[in-house]
Amino acid sequence: MTVSPVESLRRHQTFTTDRLHSLPMVVLMAHSRCNCRCMMCDIWLANANKRELTRADLEPHVASLRNLHVQRVVLSGGEALMHSNLWLLCELLRELPTKITLLSTGLLLKHFADQVVEWCDDVVVSLDGSREVHNSIRRVPRAFERLAEGIAALRERRPGFPVSGRCVLQRTNFRDLPNIIDAAHAIGLDRISFMAVDVSSSAFNRPIPWEEPRVAEVALDREQTAEFTALVEETICRRAADFTSGFVAENPDKLRRLPRYFAALHGENDFPATICNAPWVSTVVETDGDVRPCFFHKPLGNIHERPLETILNSPEAIAFRKNLDVNQDPTCRACVCTLSLGRRTPA
């Protein structure tokens, strides 16, 4: 995304004062339920307690979004397409000069293809493996096939509509890494990114971080980590064109961080250095209204109690950012989902 001189100045002011002068990205957890049953995620366990952000919830905060110069809103969940009327939210967001990104399992893309291409600027889908591996992990019938059909439906409505993928690598799919790249090509993705499974936080509907043996069900053991390290190097060598073209979003060094993360879980090395400024350039609003500086840190407030801008620039929020050292904070050091926008990474 091209950054204007004015926006560059706002970000500089944010980084130097720890007060948000712009907010490039807002993630809205639009709906709490999910239509998959993934083994590495507990969000689907909340299916009995449906919650969603409504237009009425967000309308009081449009001024905050405008004052904070929000450039992109990411609709997530759960599965955002399970929302009772996601397009009313999008209609409200279109009152702002902002882009809309939809995160999706892909299962409902075909059904809502017309609305998605009308209201959204791009889609990011979850891809966990080649056909059999993806279906096994998602634990719903024809998950891979429905994902592919959904992407095709979007492109039928609007040729060239941007669709990318992200893959969470864990015990049951790490060996499928080269095949995942092939599958991403086969279903027509524009690119694919990879991250390691999170096993250390209370994010993703976990009341408390996982303990053994739950961690062991998805994290790589020492032997598998060594195997994964070798496979990453082989993939970097054999799929050089995909890295050069950017089809694989991570550069080789960033992909090498994934086996290092699993090795760190076993105490074999330190976690890779954290390169992230998410709390300075983004925020997450959950279905109950809680506002987090990122997916993993504690809430700063709730939009049902105070305006979003007031929450994010409260003395408590400013102090949080001012005192946060992402290379020392235990939550940040073990984070699997970093974000870095702009030149400055907080020290």
Side-chain angles (χ1 to χ4, degrees):
M1 180 187 298
T2 302
V3 179
S4 69
V6 173
E7 173 60 20
S8 180
L9 176 60
R10 293 189 189 115
R11 293 190 191 182
H12 176 73
Q13 290 173 323
T14 293
F15 293 150
T16 55
T17 66
D18 295 298
R19 180 180 181 86
L20 299 186
H21 293 267
S22 77
L23 191 63
M25 183 183 299
V26 172
V27 180
L28 299 180
M29 309 300 276
H31 191 82
S32 64
R33 295 175 62 196
C34 187
N35 50 10
C36 287
R37 304 290 185 272
C38 302
M39 60 182 64
M40 67 284 187
C41 177
D42 287 346
I43 289 176
W44 60 273
L45 294 174
N47 280 355
N49 301 309
K50 182 184 78 172
R51 292 195 305 263
E52 60 184 29
L53 287 172
T54 67
R55 181 180 174 118
D57 292 332
L58 289 182
E59 280 179 333
H61 305 281
V62 169
S64 289
L65 297 174
R66 186 174 288 112
N67 292 341
L68 290 167
H69 308 283
V70 173
Q71 298 170 48
R72 182 171 298 275
V73 174
V74 179
L75 301 174
S76 186
E79 170 56 60
L81 289 177
M82 294 178 73
H83 194 282
S84 59
N85 198 331
L86 187 65
W87 321 118
L88 281 178
L89 289 186
C90 292
E91 184 181 53
L92 178 67
L93 295 171
R94 282 298 185 208
E95 296 178 10
L96 303 166
T98 185
K99 301 289 187 180
I100 299 176
T101 294
L102 172 68
L103 304 188
S104 177
T105 64
L107 299 183
L108 295 173
L109 282 179
K110 182 177 181 180
H111 180 76
F112 289 111
D114 290 330
Q115 295 92 334
V116 170
V117 299
E118 177 182 359
W119 292 107
C120 300
D121 296 281
D122 67 300
V123 172
V124 181
V125 298
S126 299
L127 178 65
D128 290 312
S130 51
R131 185 186 310 269
E132 292 78 11
V133 174
H134 181 85
N135 287 345
S136 174
I137 292 172
R138 292 276 143 177
R139 298 193 286 195
V140 294
R142 300 185 67 251
F144 184 90
E145 292 83 352
R146 292 163 67 184
L147 170 59
E149 291 167 1
I151 295 170
L154 296 179
R155 298 282 171 65
E156 286 174 4
R157 271 70 170 182
R158 185 180 297 176
F161 184 82
V163 187
S164 59
R166 63 178 182 181
C167 178
V168 177
L169 290 170
Q170 35 90 8
R171 177 182 288 256
T172 62
N173 69 349
F174 78 93
R175 294 187 180 93
D176 207 34
L177 175 59
N179 300 326
I180 296 169
I181 299 173
D182 290 338
H185 279 294
I187 63 177
L189 294 181
D190 295 312
R191 68 174 188 168
I192 181 73
S193 65
F194 296 94
M195 60 184 289
V197 64
D198 171 50
V199 297
S200 61
S201 81
S202 59
F204 311 112
N205 195 44
R206 301 168 191 162
I208 59 173
W210 281 344
E211 298 179 351
E212 295 288 352
R214 188 71 176 91
V215 171
E217 292 178 7
V218 295
L220 277 60
D221 62 25
R222 285 183 170 84
E223 184 175 320
Q224 291 166 336
T225 298
E227 182 183 354
F228 185 34
T229 301
L231 180 60
V232 165
E233 293 302 322
E234 180 182 344
T235 302
I236 290 171
C237 180
R238 291 181 178 272
R239 306 303 175 99
D242 286 318
F243 289 91
T244 301
S245 69
F247 185 78
V248 175
E250 290 75 21
N251 61 40
D253 285 341
K254 192 168 183 180
L255 196 67
R256 291 183 177 108
R257 291 168 59 91
L258 304 187
R260 289 181 58 199
Y261 163 81
F262 289 111
L265 291 177
H266 301 296
E268 296 177 358
N269 52 243
D270 292 333
F271 285 102
T274 302
I275 302 174
C276 182
N277 57 18
W280 288 261
V281 297
S282 68
T283 193
V284 177
V285 182
E286 299 197 348
T287 53
D288 62 0
D290 276 352
V291 177
R292 294 178 182 268
C294 71
F295 289 105
F296 304 98
H297 281 285
K298 295 179 180 180
L300 300 170
N302 190 287
I303 61 170
H304 299 302
E305 300 171 358
R306 291 184 291 169
L308 179 62
E309 185 179 12
T310 301
I311 294 170
L312 292 174
N313 278 328
S314 67
E316 297 82 4
I318 293 173
F320 168 80
R321 291 187 289 270
K322 187 179 296 291
N323 295 319
L324 180 62
D325 183 341
V326 298
N327 282 305
Q328 298 297 324
D329 182 86
T331 297
C332 294
R333 290 189 66 224
C335 184
V336 299
C337 185
T338 58
L339 173 69
S340 183
L341 298 177
R343 298 179 181 176
R344 188 254 203 188
T345 300

